[in-house]
Amino acid sequence: MSKNTSIQNQIVFITGASSGIGAACANIFASSGAKLILAARRRDRLEELAAKLGKEFNNEMHLLQMDVRDREQVESAISSLPPSWSDVDVLINNAGLSRGLDKLHEGSIQDWEEMIDTNIKGLLYMTRHIVPGMVSRGRGHVVNLGSIAGHQTYPGGNVYCGSKAAVRAITEGLKQDLLGTPVRVTSVDPGLVETEFSNVRFHGDSDRANKVYQGLTPLTPEDIADVVFFCVTRPAHVNISEILLVPTDQATATLVHRRS
Ligand code: NDP
Ligand code: 8X3
């Protein structure tokens, strides 16, 4: 029988670790003895999380206050990692956001740029700087957070859906380009997960954000982290390329069952 990949003492780099799915990934990997590089813009949130995980699991952590949209910041953060942190085994490209739900012809160009710069360009910068080391060391796994929005476009979703369709294509391309190396590539594509996502989408309008999940049981960040962990811990010869997961109360990007 093939051996599952052990995560003990592996270096796991998680972007967008200050909230939601990224924070839940940090928790599950910490509980299995991984060494974590936790990155996001909100350093206070990273510190809070690291204090909690350190107390619970006593694992090693390295915090990076970083904006994935800033190419120079990404380059310098990665190139100046201390030697004991530079050999990243698992990269979880999770940092991402949606902004607005406007019709395309009425949309905010600033919102579009924020989504494209974070969800596509940020993921590319991270990948470009981390994957060469994985190839030369002959080990590694990249997990990208896609979305159901990369499979189906919904009204008002236009640019967000486009950015996640790009993540899907980029994940597929990366897998093709890494063929012949042991580096694995996975896209985890959730439907509705209750996090700060909708609050960010609606620029802090929490009433509108709460309505997204009203009357249904959404996925939790921990549900997604479980799936990411499952993919990463499969035996080395198993590459899970794509997983689409939705709440039982969701059938498509627009078809959901609400009890009230
Ligand atoms: P949250 O808003 O809870 O978390 C988003 C994380 O991304 C935060 O930690 C945020 O940290 C970070 N982030 C955003 N912009 C940047 C940036 N420029 N540089 C660095 N970090 C950044 O949302 P989720 O946990 O739900 O989202 C995580 C991923 O999952 C995203 O890619 C999202 O598109 C995807 N997803 C979410 C779904 C959902 O329904 N919630 C469904 C499908 C996919 P900070 O603000 O501190 O920088
Ligand atoms: C987040 C899920 O349906 O709000 O990617 O786009 S959705």
Side-chain angles (χ1 to χ4, degrees):
M1 206 169 111
S2 319
K3 246 178 85 199
N4 286 353
T5 301
S6 167
I7 221 62
Q8 182 80 35
N9 289 325
Q10 300 288 290
I11 300 181
V12 180
F13 193 140
I14 306 172
T15 66
S18 62
S19 168
I21 295 168
C25 286
N27 192 79
I28 194 166
F29 281 96
S31 74
S32 293
K35 292 171 68 178
L36 300 181
I37 303 176
L38 304 177
R41 293 165 300 177
R42 289 172 292 177
R43 190 174 179 96
D44 53 333
R45 295 279 292 260
L46 293 178
E47 281 168 356
E48 243 173 73
L49 177 66
K52 178 178 159 283
L53 297 179
K55 211 161 146 194
E56 202 166 344
F57 305 116
N58 198 29
N59 62 308
E60 289 180 62
M61 277 168 288
H62 183 79
L63 307 186
L64 285 178
Q65 181 170 26
M66 192 181 78
D67 186 333
V68 295
R69 294 172 299 176
D70 184 330
R71 180 152 62 101
E72 282 174 12
Q73 226 183 78
V74 171
E75 277 172 14
S76 120
I78 294 172
S79 65
S80 52
L81 281 170
S84 58
W85 286 98
S86 59
D87 293 353
V88 174
D89 296 294
V90 179
L91 168 62
I92 304 178
N93 273 319
N94 163 77
L97 80 182
S98 66
R99 286 293 200 189
L101 196 61
D102 302 314
K103 291 181 192 292
L104 188 80
H105 58 285
E106 295 166 358
S108 148
I109 292 177
Q110 198 184 324
D111 282 351
W112 299 352
E113 288 183 339
E114 202 175 344
M115 290 186 276
I116 291 166
D117 289 350
T118 311
N119 301 355
I120 307 177
K121 291 168 72 179
L123 176 143
L124 285 170
Y125 299 154
M126 287 299 304
T127 306
R128 182 64 183 86
H129 289 290
I130 297 281
V131 172
M134 291 179 168
V135 173
S136 64
R137 289 187 296 276
R139 52 183 293 131
H141 196 151
V142 179
V143 180
N144 291 335
L145 259 294
S147 170
I148 192 172
H151 297 251
Q152 301 162 14
T153 304
Y154 51 84
N158 44 65
V159 176
Y160 178 70
C161 297
S163 75
K164 290 298 184 180
V167 170
R168 199 168 171 214
I170 289 164
T171 308
E172 205 177 307
L174 182 64
K175 173 66 187 138
Q176 291 170 9
D177 293 341
L178 287 170
L179 192 62
T181 80
V183 181
R184 299 187 287 173
V185 184
T186 299
S187 184
V188 174
D189 301 350
L192 292 167
V193 190
E194 191 164 10
T195 61
E196 294 175 14
F197 177 86
S198 292
N199 212 41
V200 171
R201 162 167 264 174
F202 299 127
H203 295 276
D205 180 344
S206 46
D207 286 344
R208 194 170 174 202
N210 292 339
K211 286 202 179 91
V212 174
Y213 312 106
Q214 217 163 47
L216 58 82
T217 307
L219 296 171
T220 65
E222 290 73 26
D223 294 328
I224 313 309
D226 278 348
V227 168
V228 171
F229 189 79
F230 176 80
C231 293
V232 170
T233 52
R234 288 314 83 211
H237 70 285
V238 178
N239 188 104
I240 298 181
S241 299
E242 185 175 81
I243 289 194
L244 175 68
L245 70 157
V246 292
T248 307
D249 286 339
Q250 179 173 27
T252 70
T254 51
L255 190 58
V256 297
H257 174 68
R258 294 185 202 274
R259 286 170 201 85
S260 55

